[in-house]
Each structure stands twice: as C-alpha cells, then as structure tokens.
Amino acid sequence: MQNPWTNIFDGDIGRLDRYSLKEERPVIDEFNKSISDEFKIYDTVFPSAYSNIKTSDILLLLTNPGYDQKEKDNGVYDDTERISQYLRNLIEDTVPTSEKLLSPYWEKKLNKLTKIYPLEIVKSHISIVQFFPYHSIKFREIPKKLIKKYFPNSNYLPSQEYTFHLLREALIRKPVIIITRSKKQWLEALPELNTYEYCFETNNYRNPILSENNFSKFPNAWKVINDKISVSVKSNEVQN
C-alpha cells in the first residue's frame, strides 16, 4: 500500500498552514462545521499517526493526539525541529523514537520500565500508534456516512487505512499489542486483534501507565513485555 503522507510535504515545512492530507480536508471541514469546539479537528497542528511502527516490539494503541492549549501557548506546535521529526516519521516509517517523538507525558507512563531499562532502550522498543492522526480536545469518530460520501469504498480516512495497513504488517513479526484506549474502535477496524495471542489492554484507559498492576486482567502481560525488551538487551550485550 502506498504511503499517502508522502504527497503532502512538497514545500517548506514552515509554510504549511494545514497538515492534513489534501483529499481528507473536505471531510474534516464538513465534520468541523457540524461539531462543537471540543471535538473539532485541529489539522493546523502536525499529525501523529505512529512512531517506529515497523521495528518496535511493543505497540501502544491509542485514540488520537490531544490538543492542549498550554502546549500551543508554549510553542510546542510551532517547534520546527519537532514538526520535522514527526513528518519524517510519517514518511519514512522507521525513524527511531527520539526525545521529540516521546512526550514528557509518555515518559511518565513508561517510568516503571525505565526503572528497569535505560530510557533509550525503552524508547527503541515502543511505538505509539494512533487510531486517528489529527489533534482534538476530545475525540469523536467521524461518522462513517460522512467518510463514505468522499471515500465510497472505505469506513475510514486514507491516513487511518495506512496506519491499519502498517499494523497488519507488523503483526507478522509478533509484537506485543497493548490497547490503552478506544478498544471498540480498534477491534472493529482490525478484527484480527480479537484472536491475536499477544494483544493486551490496560485496566485504566484514563491512566495508561505500563505497570504490572495495570494489567490485572492479563496476568502474563507484564512478563511478556519485559521478555521482549530483555531479549533485545541481552542480544545487544553479546554483540558489543
């Protein structure tokens, strides 16, 4: 499947006023006209669909990146270096999860692992995968009827379809899948996750911290996660 993101970054990053795919903008505009501000899609902010999805051993499935007015006021959304890294990641699919791609929010959610392994090791093993790539204060799924108006053969936007494609390809190498939010939407989009051996979910969708206590429904999840990381760490030690 062709990567649709390669078509939108022809010009200077600093001159982009919208980061959505051009063919998706009519859907976004129509949706935004019919919805309250809290559900509005902010495609003036760089998208975040996935990071390092082709090589990560642990894939965290989320809903969509949140729009934070404090981050806006602090210039996060105007940080040229950050924007460049996010866009490169969408185009190249395999850019390592750098400091810019892993927010302070997620460093806190991963601190149970970073107490065991170095932060760089944890970052290299984890990919954050968003069900929907564009920012909003609160998430509301675009009605399928509206999507079909512009894309008759799909229930999802092309940007979403590409993320699902990458995720299906990733399942071949048996990564750990952790659903932290929007379980219903993820299982509807990828029903194969219902029977996937290494698919787990966190207990608290409001606090998707990766910890043993947050996987009480899946007693072996924490061990599987640690095993994935430790095997790689040992392999690197042997090579060095």
Side-chain angles (χ1 to χ4, degrees), residues 97-235:
T97 307
S98 68
E99 180 181 354
K100 292 286 186 179
L101 291 175
L102 190 63
S103 68
Y105 171 86
W106 275 106
E107 287 196 15
K108 291 179 181 179
K109 301 307 176 186
L110 299 175
N111 67 0
K112 298 296 183 182
L113 287 173
T114 56
K115 288 179 180 178
I116 305 172
Y117 311 101
L119 177 60
E120 289 302 318
I121 293 292
V122 174
K123 287 196 296 185
S124 68
H125 283 77
I126 289 180
S127 173
I128 293 171
V129 185
Q130 302 281 5
F131 180 80
F132 187 76
Y134 304 117
H135 293 247
S136 62
I137 297 173
K138 291 184 178 180
F139 177 72
R140 176 166 291 181
E141 196 168 3
I142 297 177
K144 291 180 172 56
K145 182 177 180 181
L146 176 56
I147 291 178
K148 283 188 174 297
K149 177 179 176 181
Y150 295 91
F151 304 101
N153 297 320
S154 180
N155 290 321
Y156 303 99
L157 298 182
S159 56
Q160 292 179 280
E161 292 283 13
Y162 187 66
T163 297
F164 302 154
H165 164 72
L166 291 180
L167 190 50
R168 288 190 180 96
E169 284 196 332
L171 293 180
I172 296 172
R173 55 184 175 78
K174 303 296 184 183
V176 176
I177 303 293
I178 301 173
I179 302 177
T180 65
R181 291 179 179 146
S182 298
K183 176 183 176 181
K184 179 181 178 182
Q185 285 87 351
W186 277 113
L187 295 183
E188 183 178 354
L190 287 96
E192 52 265 55
L193 293 179
N194 282 290
T195 56
Y196 184 68
E197 181 180 3
Y198 303 110
C199 183
F200 310 113
E201 61 182 287
T202 51
N203 298 338
N204 188 347
Y205 76 93
R206 293 184 179 276
N207 184 24
I209 186 171
L210 295 197
S211 68
E212 187 171 9
N213 290 337
N214 210 15
F215 289 106
S216 60
K217 297 177 183 178
F218 302 90
N220 65 325
W222 188 241
K223 180 179 184 302
V224 172
I225 292 168
N226 278 271
D227 285 349
K228 278 286 186 181
I229 299 177
S230 62
V231 166
S232 179
V233 170
K234 290 177 182 177
S235 176

Side-chain angles (χ1 to χ4, degrees), residues 12 44 77 124 152 182 193 240:
D12 181 2
T44 54
Y77 301 149
S124 68
S182 298
L193 293 179
N240 294 331

